[in-house]
Amino acid sequence: SSIIIANAFPPHPEPLASYRALTVYDDDKCDRIERGFLAALASGEPVTFHGFTSSSIDPSSALFFAETVGHASNKPRPILLLKS
């Protein structure tokens, strides 16, 4: 089998900032996930995403998802700043 690269990106300065909004339907589940991320960050250990996740280099895109997608409450979802 072959590997197909869908997108090619131009060279960029390191680190490159990208943003990932948590789109979780349930407020309590979102709070648990946020606490888990904060604890992982405080530990100094790498944070791992299990499964598929997407991010954007446009912070307004993440803000849109954090405020409007994946939930019905008025509570905005956390946005993760990723540097790679």
Side-chain angles (χ1 to χ4, degrees):
S1 73
S2 62
I3 297 173
I4 299 172
I5 299 174
N7 294 307
F9 298 98
H12 59 81
E14 292 186 15
L16 178 67
S18 60
Y19 306 87
R20 171 70 171 101
L22 295 181
T23 52
V24 179
Y25 290 94
D26 181 83
D27 285 346
D28 292 333
K29 182 177 182 179
C30 186
D31 290 341
R32 290 191 307 273
I33 292 170
E34 184 176 11
R35 286 193 303 271
F37 273 119
L38 292 172
L41 290 171
S43 76
E45 294 296 317
V47 176
T48 302
F49 293 92
H50 297 281
F52 177 79
T53 186
S54 62
S55 59
S56 174
I57 59 171
D58 179 4
S60 64
S61 177
L63 183 61
F64 168 78
F65 280 92
E67 291 181 340
T68 61
V69 177
H71 58 91
S73 75
N74 291 325
K75 180 183 175 186
R77 298 315 196 212
I79 297 174
L80 306 172
L81 170 60
L82 311 169
K83 293 190 178 183
S84 57

